[in-house]
Amino acid sequence: MDILVENITKSYGSQKALDNLSFKVKTGEILGFLGPNGAGKTTTMKAITCFLSPEQGDIKVGGRSVREKPDEVKKDIGYLPENNPLYLDMPVIDYLAFVGELQGVPKEKLKDRIKLMIKVCGLTKEKHKKIGELSKGYRQRVGLAQALIHDPAVLILDEPTTGLDPNQIIEIRELIKEIGKEKTVILSSHILAEVEATCDRVVIINNGKIVADGTPEQLRQKAQGNESLKVGIEGGEKNDVYTALNELSPVAVVDFADDGDNTFIVESKPGMSSAKAIFDLCVEKGWYLTQLTPQEKNLEDVFRELTN
Amino acid sequence: MKQIWILTKKELNSYFDSLMAYILIIVFLGLSGFFTWLYGGSDIFYINRATLEPFFGVAYWTLFIFIPALTMKQIAEERKTGTIEMLLTKPVSDWQVVKGKFLATFILIAITLALTLPYYITISFLGPIDHGAAITGYLGLLLMSAAYISLGIFASSITSNQIVAFLLTLILGIFFQILFGIMASAFSGTTANILTYLDMRTHYENIIRGVIDSKDIIYFLSIILAGLVASEVSLLKRQI
């Protein structure tokens, strides 16, 4: 089920939370939503789930507008809100039954769905406990279980892994990936590694506008710019090596690396690669290479560049 | 309707799970029983007539205090914990949420009142009772409860603090319960008429006397509707 966000604008008072935002998510795609605090991630998600209605623009989920048919749209969405609000005085099973009924799961199927969700989300031991007695990680699982109870075509997760321990994070990521094969998933996160690990596509928003959109690789390439190499050269005097590297024709800047005596960060001129020149230099001078690693910009650099 | 019932069921369960319902029932039966049967000066043995009037008099005040306690958490708590977002992103409308919560409290009050039916049966064995007045008396209590529940849910919908919701319901209630009546006597002409019409006591007393006038029924129904619509509007605004 495709999600089509068309030119939505939403303000809180005089502050624009969303400014003419548009994007599209296709079936089977896992979209990572990135942005600094207050960028409008949560607001966008609330608009898609029909909790808030934008002042302008429209959102279509599977071709149906959130303005005209909110009840139908809501039925197709599984939503895990930020901070994962739950009824703490309800036992896990009762809570899942309540949500399942609200989502219109047929009575005869409800028991099986609850059983399945409890198994999938690893809640077997906790199923009779009250939600208030559970730890944060387990509550997060309950939140995920309630979002999935009616087998929705669209899954919207607002920071799904906050409060989980590293093992649980990996489990939940695997689960999201598994689910994402046939569903449309939008997830927001602060953790860039998480988005990189789970998402097919990343949208970075800042001040209510999209500043980047593409696969994690595309974004990284875009931000990459000039080649940057980490070079380790032994067998020569540090300063000699430094001067020699500086004299190479494709090299733009040489810097001493922080982590070793004879390692350097070599940045090439635009469109050129200095790897061969460095190798030839070593052969000529009788030095030897201990490392020659391309310095990849990670998503964090991209993020910082775009949102600062 | 199905969605409303699912919400109502959940709210009722939460009343019974949290002991709220049992406390209400026990205290209500205790108080109303004491004043109906034992308290000298107004109990039925003292007035020496087979009538439920003492009971209706006590119930009127007891419910006035109890209902705000029942409604205060309804929406305020959901706002505070954020579960309102979870709820409203399910296929239910704001109106259904308000109605579901209203209905749950109303059913709880109806159950409580049904448990006082033994009083009615006992008294009817003691002497000739006016069955008509007894039935309209219960109807009056139900209408008055529904009106306060509706006001209580409205108060609960405009804040995320339960105590504020409780006090606000009491304040709103006191206007209908006493203040409009007092204010009416201070004014004259149209103002007095309007204030007298707003005073709940006169309408309630008409009904428990056995007189069912469409004017009284419309009065209660309009308070109920106004409270529910106001709650929906305040929910639709989405802010605290």
Side-chain angles (χ1 to χ4, degrees):
Chain A
M1 199 167 281
D2 293 3
I3 302 173
L4 197 62
V5 175
E6 290 169 326
N7 310 318
I8 55 169
T9 300
K10 171 88 194 165
S11 321
Y12 294 113
S14 61
Q15 197 191 0
K16 267 193 179 170
L18 298 177
D19 191 357
N20 211 6
L21 189 81
S22 305
F23 62 91
K24 190 183 172 185
V25 196
K26 289 196 252 18
T27 313
E29 203 170 32
I30 305 182
L31 178 80
F33 224 40
L34 283 179
N37 291 326
K41 297 177 302 246
T42 300
T43 309
T44 314
M45 292 190 156
K46 282 181 178 172
I48 299 173
T49 51
C50 314
F51 184 66
L52 292 177
S53 60
E55 282 122 31
Q56 283 159 35
D58 200 0
I59 299 169
K60 288 196 174 108
V61 179
R64 288 156 312 182
S65 156
V66 293
R67 289 186 191 281
E68 282 146 29
K69 292 176 175 161
D71 277 1
E72 282 180 36
V73 170
K74 285 174 182 176
K75 267 192 182 153
D76 285 324
I77 293 180
Y79 177 41
L80 175 65
E82 197 184 13
N83 303 329
N84 188 22
L86 297 164
Y87 293 116
L88 300 183
D89 54 355
M90 271 177 118
V92 174
I93 283 202
D94 291 6
Y95 179 64
L96 293 179
F98 168 64
V99 175
E101 271 186 84
L102 270 186
Q103 289 285 14
V105 178
K107 264 231 160 73
E108 62 276 12
K109 276 192 195 158
L110 189 59
K111 264 197 177 159
D112 293 336
R113 284 300 301 172
I114 295 172
K115 266 187 204 158
L116 184 69
M117 281 307 110
I118 284 175
K119 214 179 101 199
V120 170
C121 298
L123 287 162
T124 317
K125 277 189 206 155
E126 275 72 19
K127 62 186 169 191
H128 292 299
K129 284 190 191 161
K130 283 191 174 176
I131 295 172
E133 294 167 18
L134 302 181
S135 68
K136 198 167 180 196
Y138 279 109
R139 285 187 199 180
Q140 201 70 15
R141 291 166 189 235
V142 176
L144 208 59
Q146 65 83 24
L148 289 167
I149 187 95
H150 55 301
D151 198 17
V154 175
L155 198 58
I156 293 179
L157 310 169
D158 203 347
E159 304 192 4
T161 54
T162 36
L164 300 181
D165 68 41
N167 291 333
Q168 291 170 328
I169 289 179
I170 289 171
E171 272 173 47
I172 298 276
R173 274 187 207 161
E174 291 302 316
L175 186 64
I176 293 170
K177 265 193 177 170
E178 191 57 41
I179 295 162
K181 279 179 190 155
E182 56 223 83
K183 296 183 196 307
T184 317
V185 181
I186 300 182
L187 73 89
S188 78
S189 181
H190 282 305
I191 308 160
L192 299 157
E194 173 168 295
V195 171
E196 233 175 333
T198 28
C199 300
D200 309 321
R201 210 177 111 206
V202 179
V203 165
I204 301 181
I205 66 172
N206 192 24
N207 296 329
K209 285 182 186 148
I210 291 183
V211 287
D213 181 352
T215 62
E217 289 78 42
Q218 281 172 345
L219 291 189
R220 228 180 294 137
Q221 270 168 19
K222 213 189 267 177
Q224 196 71 59
N226 303 336
E227 185 197 56
S228 165
L229 297 168
K230 191 174 190 183
V231 187
I233 295 175
E234 295 282 352
E237 190 57 36
K238 195 174 173 181
N239 287 325
D240 293 346
V241 179
Y242 178 77
T243 344
L245 281 174
N246 252 332
E247 280 162 3
L248 292 174
S249 62
V251 172
V253 189
V254 181
D255 236 334
F256 292 104
D258 315 325
D259 56 339
D261 278 344
N262 277 26
T263 43
F264 308 89
I265 306 288
V266 177
E267 202 173 304
S268 315
K269 286 177 184 153
M272 289 175 145
S273 171
S274 35
K276 187 177 182 303
I278 292 170
F279 186 75
D280 289 343
L281 175 76
C282 291
V283 173
E284 188 193 312
K285 303 263 185 181
W287 300 333
Y288 61 98
L289 282 169
T290 51
Q291 62 169 322
L292 184 63
T293 339
Q295 292 273 86
E296 278 217 347
K297 284 208 177 174
N298 53 21
L299 217 50
E300 237 153 287
D301 299 316
V302 182
F303 181 82
R304 235 178 307 164
E305 246 163 62
L306 288 167
T307 57
N308 259 336
Chain B
M1 197 58 219
K2 202 184 140 221
Q3 300 296 73
I4 296 175
W5 181 239
I6 297 167
L7 291 168
T8 304
K9 230 171 34 185
K10 186 231 144 216
E11 293 297 330
L12 269 178
N13 279 335
S14 120
Y15 276 138
F16 282 97
D17 284 345
S18 65
L19 296 181
M20 195 82 171
Y22 300 106
I23 294 170
L24 165 83
I25 291 172
I26 290 166
V27 177
F28 180 76
L29 289 182
L31 274 178
S32 61
F34 175 74
F35 283 101
T36 310
W37 301 100
L38 298 171
Y39 179 69
S42 68
D43 67 77
I44 60 154
F45 300 112
Y46 182 83
I47 55 177
N48 206 16
R49 268 188 302 129
T51 172
L52 276 168
E53 266 167 44
F55 165 69
F56 291 139
V58 181
Y60 183 67
W61 282 98
T62 324
L63 288 174
F64 166 70
I65 307 286
F66 278 166
I67 286 170
L70 289 174
T71 54
M72 67 179 188
K73 72 160 208 171
Q74 291 281 44
I75 295 173
E77 193 181 65
E78 300 233 19
R79 277 199 193 279
K80 185 157 202 164
T81 58
T83 44
I84 194 75
E85 182 181 352
M86 195 281 304
L87 197 59
L88 289 173
T89 50
K90 303 285 175 273
V92 288
S93 63
D94 298 48
W95 180 239
Q96 285 171 326
V97 169
V98 170
K99 260 169 71 181
K101 288 184 180 286
F102 170 81
L103 212 58
T105 317
F106 186 69
I107 290 174
L108 179 60
I109 295 290
I111 292 171
T112 313
L113 289 177
L115 290 173
T116 64
L117 285 176
Y119 298 178
Y120 173 37
I121 296 165
T122 315
I123 292 172
S124 74
F125 281 120
L126 291 177
I129 190 170
D130 183 349
H131 291 288
I135 290 165
T136 56
Y138 275 107
L139 180 72
L141 278 183
L142 285 175
L143 282 171
M144 166 255 178
S145 306
Y148 282 138
I149 292 168
S150 165
L151 291 177
I153 287 179
F154 166 65
S156 180
S157 75
I158 59 173
T159 170
S160 59
N161 186 325
Q162 295 191 29
I163 304 297
V164 171
F166 175 78
L167 293 176
L168 196 62
T169 318
L170 271 188
I171 291 166
L172 281 174
I174 283 172
F175 271 92
F176 287 100
Q177 196 91 344
I178 319 170
L179 288 182
F180 284 135
I182 296 174
M183 282 152 76
S185 58
F187 289 95
S188 59
T190 331
T191 327
N193 286 342
I194 293 171
L195 289 169
T196 315
Y197 183 76
L198 283 172
D199 184 29
M200 195 177 284
R201 212 173 171 81
T202 45
H203 299 279
Y204 178 70
E205 272 163 7
N206 282 344
I207 292 179
I208 61 167
R209 253 189 285 129
V211 186
I212 295 193
D213 190 341
S214 57
K215 204 174 77 181
D216 302 322
I217 305 286
I218 289 169
Y219 170 80
F220 283 109
L221 291 183
S222 21
I223 294 184
I224 297 167
L225 197 68
L228 294 182
V229 171
S231 314
E232 193 208 5
V233 170
S234 104
L235 257 191
L236 279 171
K237 275 169 68 189
R238 293 285 188 269
Q239 321 143 326
I240 297 160

